Amino acid sequence: MTNDLQIPTRPARMFIGEELEVTNWDRIQPLYDELLNRPVDSTDDLRHWFRDRSELESYLSEDFAWRYIRMTCDTSNEELVGKLNFFITEIQPHLLAYGNALDKKAVASPFLSELTEEGFAVAVRGMKKGIEIFREENIPLLTELQSEERKYGAIAGAMTVELGGEEVTLPQASNWLQSPDRAEREEAWMKIQQRRFQDKDELDELFDRLRELRHQVAVNAGFVNFRDYMFAELGRFDYTPEDCFRFHQSVAQSVVPMLNQLAGERSQKLMQGESPIDVLRPWDLKVDLYGGEPLRPFGTGEELLNKTIECFSRLDTYLGDCLRIMKAMGHLDLESRKGKAPGGYNYPLEEIGVPFIFMNATSSLRDLVTMVHEGGHAVHSFLTRDLPLKSFRTPPMEVAELASMSMELLSMDHWDVFFENPDELRRAKIQHLESIIETLPWVATIDKFQHWIYENPAHSVDDRREAWVRIFSEFSDSVTDWSGLERFKEYGWQKQLHLYEVPFYYIEYGIAQLGAIGIWMNFREDRKKGLDGYKAALKLGYTAPIGRIYEAAGIPFDFSAEYIGRLLRFVGEELDQIKAQ
């Protein structure tokens, strides 16, 4: 692929035909009816039936993906919003009902046990769980939920503040938090918080609607609460809520003390600086401790992409070629602008097999990390694109995030592409490794908060605010002074998109972060073996349970305090070595 880049084309549509368009449900229904009514009289018939179903579902998945991508690129465009909502309201409800009917047909087949190829066992257990929790009365509720969830992006995407005499998005404003000028940092932090605070009631009301709808879905499906429903819906066969609680405890025991140590060191250093501070405040947490200007690893989105391609290529030629193909196909939108939805993502495109990366780059180190993170997801899509069924190509998030978070660490040896100055490179590595120590407690905070929310579905806004502050305090450092800022702390959870749009999708970041450190440890010991293990695990897609996929990478699937402690000691040792350079 390197010299003569081969741009992939989608496979021919052998079942659905080349002219299909999602203009109304009547165009789609005959295909589902054909699958539902088709006689399956042999193992080969069943295998062919699965391939045809996968072709149809891949097409519809990609159609929805493009609607979502285009809407998030311009949330103010009513036509794009309408096209997405059309799919959610007019197509999605039918897909839920037919999907359940097709699962039942597959599970009832006497030939199912004869499909022994790798992946079918995992797919079948997922279908059986889906049948178990499906309820016809939940279809309109799930449709309403999808529409309500999308409102968060529109609210957050419209948030701007004025800094430096210009209107900027909140991602752009966050760059001011790295300014050596403390007054500038405080101004930026306060404006960001005040802007979010301005919409707190609207976001509370939206969340209340989401919580009520989600709880009703869970009750309809026979669950006590939405948390238990989501564990089933997400197919969490490999761990339980109790394992999550163990993760919370392990992080509190093994990681929060390191967080306190970092905050203490930051406080001492800033107290001794050219403009000494008296106490560590929230706007002091991102500034360089040595008085350096904010790191600017790139200027434009184009530069960010080109440098990432070079970085990936140094690590492995194949990895760089994945991004080159995406660039050639225009499958990226990287720069922040008004009206664009917040956050970043890599969206798989199931037919073509070449994903789309969306982000809000503003020339910061965080943006560099986001790019290599989403690039790791993209590589995962490429490595699984030839698996025969859509379900095989759709790994659980504990594996998907392993791909992205490992890439952050594996690529770090080549960040000199972004930082020619050795001191800046050193600062970037220190900041990133320290951010890992900060990430695990934040993941524990968000995850524990979600457990509380849905274990207490009748809670009030005041109850929720108090629970957030209590849980936030468990996993945050005891050095930073929030005096006079309590009203902002109480609503800190509202900045987390996942709580609104993808509930219970967050612990995966913590699980995968542990796995990524494990892969990085292996990479440090033997570069080739570590990288080969990483790629071997990703190639499996979802044809094996999570534990076996982690095993293929050469790492354990382990939440214990002992294991987390060992991983974090390794990170600490790496940090000490970099700081000593």
Side-chain angles (χ1 to χ4, degrees):
M1 279 198 299
T2 309
N3 297 323
D4 299 310
L5 205 62
Q6 297 295 313
I7 304 302
T9 56
R10 64 167 175 79
R13 296 169 180 164
M14 305 303 293
F15 170 56
I16 66 175
E18 298 293 340
E19 306 304 320
L20 183 63
E21 289 185 33
V22 185
T23 53
N24 55 59
W25 174 245
D26 291 342
R27 298 288 301 275
I28 310 299
Q29 184 175 356
L31 294 164
Y32 273 98
D33 284 337
E34 197 281 338
L35 288 170
L36 192 58
N37 298 320
R38 180 193 301 181
V40 176
D41 298 323
S42 68
T43 306
D44 284 342
D45 282 353
L46 183 59
R47 191 177 285 111
H48 186 75
W49 182 89
F50 269 112
R51 285 199 302 270
D52 286 349
R53 178 181 179 180
S54 178
E55 180 184 302
L56 174 57
E57 291 177 342
S58 295
Y59 166 78
L60 292 170
S61 170
E62 185 162 322
D63 184 278
F64 177 84
W66 279 115
R67 293 167 191 259
Y68 179 77
I69 290 164
R70 288 168 181 143
M71 185 280 294
T72 55
C73 289
D74 186 3
T75 61
S76 62
N77 186 314
E78 292 185 7
E79 181 182 358
L80 297 178
V81 174
K83 287 182 176 179
L84 176 65
N85 286 336
F86 163 79
F87 196 106
I88 292 171
T89 58
E90 301 300 323
I91 305 298
Q92 198 82 46
H94 299 291
L95 300 185
L96 292 171
Y98 270 96
N100 180 66
L102 294 180
D103 284 348
K104 286 182 175 179
K105 180 183 177 77
V107 167
S109 172
F111 305 104
L112 188 63
S113 61
E114 297 178 22
L115 296 179
T116 56
E117 297 97 317
E118 192 170 38
F120 276 107
V122 171
V124 169
R125 73 175 184 177
M127 287 190 289
K128 288 180 176 177
K129 182 59 69 173
I131 293 167
E132 182 184 320
I133 69 173
F134 178 82
R135 298 292 185 278
E136 192 83 33
E137 62 267 33
N138 275 342
I139 292 177
L141 296 179
L142 292 170
T143 301
E144 186 178 354
L145 265 172
Q146 275 200 295
S147 296
E148 290 294 315
E149 286 163 355
R150 300 297 167 234
K151 292 179 180 179
Y152 177 81
I155 296 169
M159 294 182 183
T160 61
V161 296
E162 186 174 312
L163 284 171
E166 60 177 321
E167 183 184 26
V168 295
T169 64
L170 297 197
Q172 290 169 332
S174 66
N175 286 343
W176 267 264
L177 301 178
Q178 301 176 59
S179 171
D181 185 327
R182 198 185 195 203
E184 274 191 10
R185 298 198 303 272
E186 181 177 356
E187 178 192 10
W189 191 90
M190 291 296 293
K191 284 190 172 182
I192 290 170
Q193 303 306 315
Q194 287 165 350
R195 181 61 189 88
R196 288 197 180 115
F197 196 75
Q198 179 181 321
D199 287 344
K200 67 178 177 60
D201 292 337
E202 184 178 5
L203 288 172
D204 259 336
E205 291 168 7
L206 173 59
F207 196 81
D208 281 344
R209 291 197 298 277
L210 294 173
R211 178 202 59 195
E212 289 165 8
L213 286 167
R214 288 166 180 166
H215 183 66
Q216 188 59 54
V217 165
V219 171
N220 288 352
F223 291 87
V224 174
N225 58 54
F226 183 70
R227 187 270 314 283
D228 294 346
Y229 169 85
M230 281 304 293
F231 266 69
E233 200 275 336
L234 290 169
R236 288 184 175 169
F237 298 97
D238 303 280
Y239 61 100
T240 66
E242 288 70 31
D243 290 318
C244 294
F245 303 153
R246 188 154 48 249
F247 173 86
H248 305 157
Q249 293 167 355
S250 297
V251 169
Q253 178 181 331
S254 301
V255 188
V256 172
M258 295 181 73
L259 198 65
N260 273 317
Q261 180 183 340
L262 289 178
E265 292 172 359
R266 170 169 289 274
S267 180
Q268 288 297 315
K269 192 71 178 177
L270 292 176
M271 286 179 180
Q272 298 164 6
E274 292 184 9
S275 303
I277 68 170
D278 53 344
V279 64
L280 192 70
R281 299 285 268 169
W283 47 82
D284 298 321
L285 302 180
K286 300 300 179 186
V287 63
D288 181 66
L289 293 179
Y290 301 93
E293 290 291 328
L295 293 169
R296 289 180 58 84
F298 60 92
T300 64
E302 179 79 5
E303 185 183 350
L304 169 62
L305 175 57
N306 290 336
K307 287 183 172 182
T308 306
I309 289 172
E310 183 179 347
C311 177
F312 276 30
S313 297
R314 286 192 194 175
L315 185 61
D316 183 290
T317 303
Y318 174 84
L319 307 181
D321 283 344
C322 293
L323 295 184
R324 286 189 184 93
I325 289 170
M326 294 175 68
K327 179 182 180 182
M329 296 179 68
H331 282 206
L332 306 109
D333 186 334
L334 304 182
E335 294 181 349
S336 180
R337 60 180 177 271
K338 185 179 180 181
K340 195 173 177 181
Y345 58 76
N346 173 85
Y347 210 125
L349 296 168
E350 291 292 346
E351 272 204 306
I352 191 66
V354 177
F356 189 100
I357 290 179
F358 167 100
M359 60 180 288
N360 282 273
T362 61
S363 305
S364 70
L365 174 61
R366 182 64 243 171
D367 296 327
L368 155 59
V369 174
T370 298
M371 183 65 210
V372 296
H373 177 103
E374 302 304 343
H377 282 309
V379 166
H380 202 177
S381 290
F382 277 90
L383 286 169
T384 59
R385 68 184 302 270
D386 291 329
L387 291 172
L389 298 185
K390 179 180 180 294
S391 61
F392 295 177
R393 300 190 298 266
T394 310
M397 291 306 166
E398 298 82 1
V399 176
E401 296 302 340
L402 181 70
S404 54
M405 292 183 141
S406 296
M407 187 61 78
E408 296 174 15
L409 293 168
L410 295 174
S411 67
M412 203 162 58
D413 285 346
H414 303 289
W415 284 7
D416 56 308
V417 168
F418 298 94
F419 304 103
E420 294 180 2
N421 183 311
D423 183 59
E424 289 188 349
L425 177 60
R426 177 175 164 273
R427 284 172 54 199
K429 290 180 177 180
I430 290 170
Q431 287 182 29
H432 182 54
L433 293 182
E434 288 183 345
S435 76
I436 288 175
I437 298 171
E438 296 164 359
T439 292
L440 288 166
W442 181 251
V443 169
T445 304
I446 295 296
D447 190 60
K448 187 168 183 176
F449 183 54
Q450 294 201 83
H451 283 271
W452 180 89
I453 285 171
Y454 297 107
E455 286 175 344
N456 299 275
H459 69 262
S460 67
V461 169
D462 287 341
D463 293 335
R464 185 163 65 226
R465 193 166 58 239
E466 291 169 8
W468 168 254
V469 172
R470 182 179 66 254
I471 294 169
F472 178 82
S473 299
E474 289 179 35
F475 297 103
S476 57
D477 72 79
S478 57
V479 179
T480 306
D481 181 8
W482 283 81
S483 300
L485 307 171
E486 291 83 0
R487 67 191 186 282
F488 298 135
K489 181 195 287 189
E490 291 173 348
Y491 286 95
W493 63 274
Q494 289 187 341
K495 69 181 180 182
Q496 195 63 58
L497 171 149
H498 300 70
L499 295 171
Y500 285 86
E501 294 193 359
V502 277
F504 280 99
Y505 173 21
Y506 213 69
I507 187 69
E508 294 91 340
Y509 290 109
I511 294 170
Q513 185 68 81
L514 301 178
I517 298 170
I519 286 176
W520 190 40
M521 285 176 64
N522 293 344
F523 183 75
R524 277 282 179 264
E525 292 173 6
D526 184 326
R527 187 182 186 280
K528 183 178 186 305
K529 184 178 178 181
L531 190 57
D532 286 349
Y534 169 75
K535 291 167 71 174
L538 302 193
K539 284 179 181 177
L540 289 173
Y542 200 19
T543 60
I546 296 173
R548 270 187 51 206
I549 296 173
Y550 273 53
E551 184 181 334
I555 54 176
F557 188 64
D558 187 352
F559 302 167
S560 68
E562 179 184 5
Y563 181 60
I564 292 178
R566 181 158 70 90
L567 293 175
L568 269 291
R569 283 193 297 275
F570 171 75
V571 173
E573 289 165 3
E574 290 284 328
L575 254 176
D576 290 342
Q577 288 180 24
I578 296 170
K579 289 178 177 178
Q581 291 174 358

